Amino acid sequence: RAGLAELRARREELNGRIREEEAERSRLQGRIWELTERLARTSESLAKHLVARSELDRTIAESEEAYDKILESSQTLLNALKEEIGNAGKASEP
């Protein structure tokens, strides 16, 4: 009988450990689910931000190109105006 009592005591101890590990597994699975959901939301947000940044990069590049063209045109116009003023001055000299 003593042997059976010892086996039953070991079985109860093992049952306690099993319940603890099942509870821990359940907590971990819940945490995994929570982190998986968080990862999905973060990935979606990141993708949207990457698209927005790409659009901004394109807009900046187009704006810089347009600005450079305006600057070049302004410089060409200024040079032409200076040349005309110089020519007008030469034409009015006796």
Side-chain angles (χ1 to χ4, degrees), residues 1-78:
R1 289 242 173 224
L4 282 176
E6 183 181 328
L7 290 175
R8 286 188 177 125
R10 286 176 46 193
R11 183 178 188 276
E12 284 306 310
E13 182 182 330
L14 188 56
N15 276 339
R17 288 182 186 165
I18 289 171
R19 283 190 298 273
E20 288 173 5
E21 288 183 3
E22 285 174 341
E24 177 67 8
R25 182 177 68 180
S26 180
R27 281 191 298 273
L28 290 173
Q29 284 176 334
R31 185 82 173 123
I32 287 170
W33 180 84
E34 177 186 318
L35 290 173
T36 300
E37 289 293 312
R38 192 167 149 193
L39 176 61
R41 286 190 307 270
T42 301
S43 295
E44 185 178 325
S45 176
L46 176 61
K48 289 177 183 178
H49 287 133
L50 288 171
V51 167
R53 183 181 68 184
S54 178
E55 290 173 1
L56 284 174
D57 287 344
R58 183 179 45 79
T59 301
I60 289 169
E62 289 172 356
S63 298
E64 286 175 339
E65 185 179 338
Y67 176 79
D68 289 345
K69 286 180 180 179
I70 291 169
L71 191 60
E72 184 181 330
S73 296
S74 297
Q75 190 62 44
T76 302
L77 184 59
L78 181 61

Side-chain angles (χ1 to χ4, degrees), residues 82-92:
K82 285 180 182 178
E83 188 177 316
E84 286 295 319
I85 291 172
N87 290 339
K90 289 179 186 176
S92 65

